[in-house]
């Protein structure tokens, strides 16, 4: 076997390129970190928002608007959200998203003369029962989403939106 020798010029070339690469990486890494840092930070989107007192809600759904602070990378904004909240028979609170699961229009409670005591979507005549279950043979194929609800010191807090586990019902 013959041993390949490298010249002094090739060795210096490798040494300078390695040192230059190391120095460049040391300067560029903080710049890249600074550029993507807002994306890596966790936002407060998981926090719950106070929407009223427990005594404000009864068996009839009540519409509540609230403001949510959102952060997306470098962009921060205030978003107005809405929920339909009612007290269930067992005393727990149910908070439903008003966004129709068909095409995203807004549903309202008891707004149709033909369909009393139901959530109704005027865009495509979607219907939902009082607990958000979609009514079979209407455009929506899923029940209205729910908000996580927490009660603390007599106040009602809403968290993130979760899927409604209730199946569709006959109308």
């Amino acid at each position: 076997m013959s041993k390949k020798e490298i010249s002094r010029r090739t060795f210096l070339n490798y040494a300078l390129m390695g040192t230059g690469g190391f120095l460049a990486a040391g300067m560029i890494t903080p710049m890249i970190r600074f550029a993507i840092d807002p994306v890596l930070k966790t936002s407060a989107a998981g926090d719950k928002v106070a929407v009223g007192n427990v005594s404000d809600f009864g068996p009839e759904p009540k519409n509540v608007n609230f403001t949510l602070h959102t952060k997306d990378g470098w962009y921060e904004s205030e978003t107005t959200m809405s929920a339909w909240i009612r007290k269930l028979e067992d005393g727990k609170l149910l908070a439903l998203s008003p966004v129709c699961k068909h095409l995203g229009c807004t549903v309202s409670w008891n707004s149709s003369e033909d369909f009393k005591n139901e959530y109704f979507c005027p865009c495509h005549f979607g219907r939902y029962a009082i607990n958000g279950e979609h009514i079979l043979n209407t455009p929506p194929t899923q029940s209205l989403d729910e908000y996580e609800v927490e009660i603390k010191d007599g106040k009602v807090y809403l968290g993130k939106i979760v899927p409604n586990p209730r199946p569709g019902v006959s109308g």
Side-chain angles (χ1 to χ4, degrees):
M1 276 190 195
S2 69
K3 202 175 188 184
K4 185 176 178 188
E5 294 195 23
I6 62 171
S7 67
R8 193 177 319 156
R9 178 173 282 164
T10 304
F11 173 76
L12 285 174
N13 230 357
Y14 288 155
L16 287 175
M17 284 181 9
T19 304
F22 180 75
L23 291 174
M27 291 185 330
I28 290 175
T29 301
M31 288 188 267
I32 292 173
R33 175 73 183 172
F34 177 76
I36 64 170
D37 190 50
V39 176
L40 299 176
K41 284 188 177 177
T42 59
S43 74
D47 293 343
K48 293 184 169 48
V49 178
V51 294
N53 295 317
V54 175
S55 59
D56 296 340
F57 305 104
E60 184 79 10
K62 179 180 178 182
N63 188 268
V64 175
N65 293 319
F66 57 97
T67 303
L68 186 65
H69 181 79
T70 55
K71 183 176 180 184
D72 183 15
W74 297 268
Y75 182 71
E76 293 186 42
S77 66
E78 298 288 328
T79 307
T80 300
M81 305 284 287
S82 179
W84 285 98
I85 304 175
R86 72 180 283 263
K87 191 175 284 188
L88 301 174
E89 294 77 24
D90 62 2
K92 292 182 181 176
L93 292 177
L94 174 65
L96 297 172
S97 168
V99 179
C100 181
K101 297 302 282 187
H102 177 232
L103 290 176
C105 295
T106 302
V107 302
S108 56
W109 172 254
N110 212 7
S111 62
S112 171
E113 301 238 350
D114 297 330
F115 308 110
K116 297 282 186 192
N117 297 320
E118 290 181 1
Y119 292 100
F120 180 71
C121 178
C123 296
H124 301 103
F125 303 104
R127 295 167 45 210
Y128 299 89
I130 193 165
N131 289 331
E133 304 98 332
H134 66 284
I135 294 181
L136 300 173
N137 300 319
T138 65
T141 58
Q142 294 177 323
S143 299
L144 290 173
D145 288 333
E146 297 180 18
Y147 285 97
E148 290 179 341
V149 177
E150 182 180 326
I151 298 172
K152 189 174 181 182
D153 299 327
K155 298 243 184 242
V156 178
Y157 294 87
L158 298 184
K160 66 181 181 177
I161 294 177
V162 295
N164 190 330
R166 296 172 186 86
V169 296
S170 298

